[in-house]
Amino acid sequence: MRIDIISPLPELLKAPFSTSILKRAIDKKVVEVCIHDLRSFANNKHKKIDDYSYGGGGGMVLMIEPVAKCIELLKSKRTYDTTIFVTPDGQKLNQKKSNSLSQLNNIIIICGRYEGIDQRVRDLFIDQEISIGDYVLMGGELPALVICESIIRLLPGSMNNSSCALSDSFQDNLLAPPIYTRPANFKGHKVPDILLSGNEKKISQWREDQSIIKTKERRPELLK
Ligand code: ADE
């Protein structure tokens, strides 16, 4: 899989891809992540990528030209399955969406900043708009990273234990059960006996029961 991220603040994106699971996935060529500095596509000597909003209203708007130039360059080199714009008024990200994005080969993600982006970018180039939740951040870089991490951890070869991602919360519309590690007794707080029993069938039943109990308590709408 290849992910191209177009951003006015590319520095914000670099560190997360340089450590831990994301770095390992890149090193193992499970995924290729290419970060593009929107400013380098500006067609003026001051590298300006934003301008005043037509019709007034406060705040600056990301211009269409640099975005168009970058997207057209990328699309001249390969075919993309989807072009995503991250925005608080997009469709809310969930596990189902991450699963389906993880099946694609080439993705472009565009990060906004300032008051927003020229509507014509959305009309002409964007296939889907994704929000990471009902709150507003200062730009699309952190949402783009959230989307990337949720996709990349699903790709075969990115995690040590491939069965791990399948037992995540939300994969089967259930929240994950509690988990424990050593010590078996911390100052009198004991790990449930069943987990020490070695009885795989009973352990699996216990985990399923715990998942259902937790989901009923915290997210009953998932069970409907
Ligand atoms: N940009 C700013 N806030 C955002 C959000 N909640 N989701 C996606 N993109 C955003």
Side-chain angles (χ1 to χ4, degrees), residues 85-89 112 130-141 143-144:
F85 178 55
V86 281
T87 171
D89 56 6
I130 298 180
S131 163
I132 61 161
D134 290 342
Y135 44 85
V136 180
L137 301 171
M138 288 187 287
E141 285 76 12

Side-chain angles (χ1 to χ4, degrees), residues 85 89 100 175 193 215:
F85 178 55
D89 56 6
S100 78
L175 302 181
D193 287 338
T215 311

Side-chain angles (χ1 to χ4, degrees), residues 97-115:
K97 176 54 96 187
S98 299
N99 289 348
S100 78
L101 292 173
S102 75
Q103 307 290 315
L104 305 178
N105 289 322
N106 297 320
I107 300 179
I108 296 176
I109 304 179
I110 300 172
C111 308
R113 280 248 142 210
Y114 315 110
E115 262 325 283

Side-chain angles (χ1 to χ4, degrees), residues 99-158:
N99 289 348
S100 78
L101 292 173
S102 75
Q103 307 290 315
L104 305 178
N105 289 322
N106 297 320
I107 300 179
I108 296 176
I109 304 179
I110 300 172
C111 308
R113 280 248 142 210
Y114 315 110
E115 262 325 283
I117 200 163
D118 191 302
Q119 179 60 35
R120 290 165 292 182
V121 172
R122 300 167 82 153
D123 296 342
L124 297 175
F125 299 112
I126 303 300
D127 302 311
Q128 42 184 330
E129 303 191 335
I130 298 180
S131 163
I132 61 161
D134 290 342
Y135 44 85
V136 180
L137 301 171
M138 288 187 287
E141 285 76 12
L142 299 183
L145 287 167
V146 167
I147 295 171
C148 286
E149 181 159 327
S150 77
I151 297 173
I152 294 171
R153 64 188 294 284
L154 296 171
L155 300 177
S158 73

